[in-house]
Amino acid sequence: MSTLQGQMMDVQLLVSALLRHADYNHADTEIVSRRLEGDIHRYTYSEAAVRIRKMANALEAFGLKRGERAATLAWNGYRHFELYYAISGIGSVMHTINPRLHPEQVAWIVNHAEDRILFFDITFAPIVDAIADKCPTVQQWVAMIDPDKMPEMKNVTPVSYEDFIQAQSAAYEWPELDENAAAALCYTSGTTGNPKGVLYSHRSLVLHTYAACLPDAFGVDATDVVLPIVPMFHVNAWSLPYVGALAGVKLVFPGAKLDGESVCELFENEKVTISAGVPTVWLLVLQYLQQNNRKLSTVKRMTVGGSACPPALMKTFKNDYGVQLEHAWGMTEMSPLGTYNHPKAKHLQLSEDEQFQARLSQGRAVFGVEMKIVDDKGNRMPQDGQSTGDLHVRGPWVVDRYFKKDESPLVDGWFPTGDVGYIDPDGYLTITDRTKDVIKSGGEWIGSIDIENIAMAHPAVAMAACIAARHEKWDERPLLLVQIKEGQSVTKEDLLKHFEGKIAKWWTPDDVLFVDSLPLGATGKVQKNKLRDEYGDHLLKQPA
Ligand code: ADP
């Protein structure tokens, strides 16, 4: 039976449309960047658009074809922003690479993606030197720096970004591409095995950007000043470079200086209203603010995601600095946004403490993302706020297949996230763990996130990680690894006492080990697999 077709224009959803929108409607809104050259660079969306069109011409002159990949190893900055739009805009694929990965892994990714040209910030020149002769597909290396500041390199002769675009015309007509064409590529950080490529389409990026702007997500408007600390080299900085253009916000890029002082200086000087980053970043910013007795006068909200937001961190920012930390959850395979925590009207009637509690979960699904919790047989579990199982998702910006992989990761058309949690009747998701980090004690599951959050609420604790340690009787038991704040101290006994009444007794860690620092991965998360390798047998070695 034929259906009556709608009669609206079949205009394709394209990344270039976001730029054109900003160029026409927010021409004089600023984009500010801290540069490796040492200064602060500022220009407008319309000036950016001119350089992006020049870059589009330069890429075509170089011979980059539709569907071919162009890579970046770069900090957050205006040149990186330009590449986001130029590469995708001409129909090629913007491939961001995480420079915190080991050079071997970077080379593996470049080869897997068959990148034809690679743009890099000079901080990463040593990586480029190390991988150059292992990456035969790369025909051009471009240093994202002024020509007079070019690095000395051993194995490549890069061209300066400015020289690369200098002779090009600023006239360029963005092609009408198929919205399902590939636009961007990002590899998961792959704690085990090789990284997997997630290939975003123009359509998925534009739809995701619309959703990310919603009041119950980033909630930005044209009066906002947004500073993405989350890197443009991983999952498109949670889409903020696209959000900026759609909403016409002033963007502030921090470059390589991500220490508390430099970030807070930009917050104040540029009157930043909204920022976003992983919890470890906010812990550092907080330390700086506390140690230097500083305040934040313009920041209203900071999005926290990538790993669970410690409640103590959220409380301190709210009470001492008037900044609301907003919890969001997502992943590379979801572009990344899945859920975002904003209150509903009924929450506003609650006491302050109850409202704070409501803020702690990972939040509600953003429209476009469907979620379900399934048991080990794949049956949907009730959305009752306690039935805990594997989290599966689907939606137009969720991965269907990994780049160059034939087998589908999907189960019944849903993507298994590898996260474990529950959803309450209001739709709020709580992640209790990652499947591979769950502690299985005598057949029962213990979620490590709860234990870490309680530990981090202790005033002497800077960071904590709870891992499964092998146990003779119970198979696995929780072992807590703790990094103490500078100048503070606490005993194991006192720390364990701190758990009393906050958690079921059998969830209390069997032991606490104090460490100088916790190993962080390429996206700023504690590497629990490393900790398991090192400390997994700790309890077996204990006297019975
Ligand atoms: P990778 O660390 O492999 O690069 P991503 O950066 O895509 O992967 O991270 C996705 C994972 O990070 C999620 O599956 C989840 O386990 C974790 N994560 C992201 N946001 C949160 C959050 N708000 N709370 C708890 N875990 C989170």
Side-chain angles (χ1 to χ4, degrees):
M1 215 167 54
S2 68
T3 44
L4 180 63
Q5 294 292 295
Q7 295 179 325
M8 308 307 284
M9 288 186 195
D10 189 20
V11 173
Q12 301 295 289
L13 302 174
L14 300 177
V15 167
S16 54
L18 295 169
L19 176 70
R20 276 210 304 260
H21 174 79
D23 189 10
Y24 294 150
N25 301 293
H26 302 285
D28 65 356
T29 299
E30 274 187 317
I31 299 172
V32 178
S33 310
R34 192 192 286 282
R35 302 205 304 167
L36 288 175
E37 285 88 338
D39 55 355
I40 299 284
H41 174 274
R42 53 182 79 237
Y43 68 172
T44 63
Y45 277 104
S46 83
E47 286 166 320
V50 168
R51 283 170 53 90
I52 293 167
R53 292 195 297 270
K54 285 180 141 206
M55 178 54 82
N57 282 317
L59 291 167
E60 290 195 349
F62 160 75
L64 189 68
K65 307 238 166 30
R66 290 194 184 172
E68 289 186 333
R69 276 75 66 198
T72 60
L73 273 172
W75 301 110
N76 294 4
Y78 68 108
R79 292 186 180 111
H80 208 175
F81 176 85
E82 290 165 8
L83 291 167
Y84 262 56
Y85 284 96
I87 295 169
S88 302
I90 67 168
S92 302
V93 179
M94 169 67 176
H95 174 203
T96 52
I97 306 179
N98 189 335
R100 297 205 178 105
L101 295 171
H102 192 274
E104 291 278 313
Q105 264 179 317
V106 174
W108 186 93
I109 290 174
V110 169
N111 286 321
H112 189 265
E114 299 172 81
D115 294 315
R116 286 203 53 212
I117 179 168
L118 190 146
F119 295 84
F120 63 97
D121 268 329
I122 58 166
T123 320
F124 309 120
I127 303 182
V128 169
D129 255 337
I131 65 169
D133 60 1
K134 298 189 192 106
C135 299
T137 60
V138 180
Q139 291 154 339
Q140 178 78 64
W141 306 86
V142 185
M144 298 161 73
I145 194 91
D146 285 348
D148 61 343
K149 301 242 168 18
M150 288 293 280
E152 291 272 326
M153 295 186 67
K154 288 196 285 288
N155 300 328
V156 289
T157 315
V159 57
S160 137
Y161 185 103
E162 299 305 321
D163 288 340
F164 189 70
I165 61 172
Q166 197 261 332
Q168 299 296 331
S169 158
Y172 184 86
E173 282 296 321
W174 297 106
E176 278 300 323
L177 307 164
D178 173 354
E179 65 180 17
N180 286 305
L185 176 64
C186 177
Y187 283 73
T188 62
S189 41
T191 37
T192 50
N194 280 325
K196 291 182 283 228
V198 180
L199 192 58
Y200 310 109
S201 67
H202 285 264
R203 174 185 154 84
S204 74
L205 289 178
V206 172
L207 290 175
H208 178 272
T209 306
Y210 269 119
C213 288
L214 287 170
D216 269 358
F218 286 113
V220 291
D221 66 41
T223 65
D224 278 312
V225 181
V226 176
L227 187 152
I229 298 190
V230 356
M232 289 168 77
F233 57 67
H234 192 61
V235 214
N236 308 322
W238 298 351
S239 84
L240 291 170
Y242 305 122
V243 162
L246 186 149
V249 305
K250 171 176 162 183
L251 284 170
V252 182
F253 292 126
K257 290 200 166 174
L258 297 172
D259 60 285
E261 182 177 5
S262 306
V263 168
C264 290
E265 185 183 280
L266 280 181
F267 280 161
E268 289 300 298
N269 292 352
E270 301 302 328
K271 300 191 169 33
V272 170
T273 57
I274 290 171
S275 188
V278 294
T280 38
V281 159
W282 299 130
L283 284 167
L284 287 177
V285 168
L286 181 61
Q287 251 171 36
Y288 168 77
L289 291 167
Q290 288 175 332
Q291 282 165 4
N292 296 279
N293 213 6
R294 297 283 298 270
K295 293 281 169 213
L296 296 172
S297 55
T298 58
V299 179
K300 296 181 292 193
R301 298 184 270 126
M302 293 166 167
T303 307
V304 193
S307 28
C309 176
L313 183 70
M314 194 182 282
K315 190 164 256 170
T316 311
F317 265 109
K318 180 82 185 154
N319 292 349
D320 297 357
Y321 298 93
V323 175
Q324 181 65 56
L325 258 56
E326 296 178 335
H327 204 181
W329 164 88
M331 57 199 309
T332 311
E333 287 89 338
M334 299 178 71
S335 311
L337 203 53
T339 63
Y340 204 109
N341 190 317
H342 277 283
K344 290 184 173 181
K346 65 181 177 186
H347 292 123
L348 304 180
Q349 322 301 323
L350 300 175
S351 71
E352 214 171 286
D353 191 49
E354 287 165 326
Q355 289 196 39
F356 174 76
Q357 289 303 323
R359 289 262 183 194
L360 295 179
S361 82
Q362 275 72 9
R364 285 176 276 124
V366 175
F367 173 72
V369 173
E370 283 180 84
M371 311 190 291
K372 66 174 180 182
I373 301 290
V374 300
D375 63 19
D376 49 11
K377 294 187 186 63
N379 300 314
R380 193 177 194 133
M381 299 174 87
Q383 201 170 306
D384 57 6
Q386 49 188 15
S387 301
T388 304
D390 291 322
L391 173 63
H392 291 197
V393 295
R394 67 174 181 182
W397 56 80
V398 177
V399 73
D400 183 42
R401 242 175 320 134
Y402 290 105
F403 186 43
K404 293 188 180 172
K405 289 217 169 206
D406 291 333
E407 66 277 22
S408 166
L410 308 189
V411 178
D412 299 332
W414 292 70
F415 177 73
T417 60
D419 285 336
V420 177
Y422 55 84
I423 305 175
D424 76 11
D426 287 322
Y428 286 81
L429 167 75
T430 297
I431 302 276
T432 53
D433 225 324
R434 297 191 91 157
T435 318
K436 53 182 191 275
D437 294 336
V438 165
I439 301 153
K440 297 185 186 100
S441 170
E444 300 278 352
W445 286 12
I446 298 176
S448 59
I449 293 178
D450 260 349
I451 297 175
E452 288 156 7
N453 283 344
I454 293 170
M456 280 195 270
H458 191 286
V461 174
M463 271 219 267
C466 186
I467 60 161
R470 280 174 282 281
H471 191 277
E472 232 160 67
K473 179 163 174 208
W474 302 107
D475 288 339
E476 289 176 359
R477 288 292 302 157
L479 171 67
L480 187 68
L481 294 129
V482 171
Q483 182 184 335
I484 297 291
K485 281 185 193 157
E486 243 180 68
Q488 303 264 1
S489 67
V490 61
T491 62
K492 168 178 144 182
E493 289 69 29
D494 279 348
L495 197 53
L496 288 175
K497 217 180 238 149
H498 170 75
F499 280 87
E500 280 175 18
K502 299 191 178 79
I503 205 169
K505 230 185 159 68
W506 65 278
W507 278 44
T508 309
D510 274 23
D511 203 359
V512 180
L513 293 176
F514 295 97
V515 292
D516 291 341
S517 65
L518 291 167
L520 296 184
T523 53
K525 302 180 200 193
V526 174
Q527 290 176 303
K528 290 201 182 170
N529 53 332
K530 273 205 175 152
L531 292 174
R532 277 193 295 265
D533 288 347
E534 196 168 345
Y535 300 104
D537 286 339
H538 173 76
L539 297 178
L540 295 178
K541 294 180 198 149
Q542 300 289 91

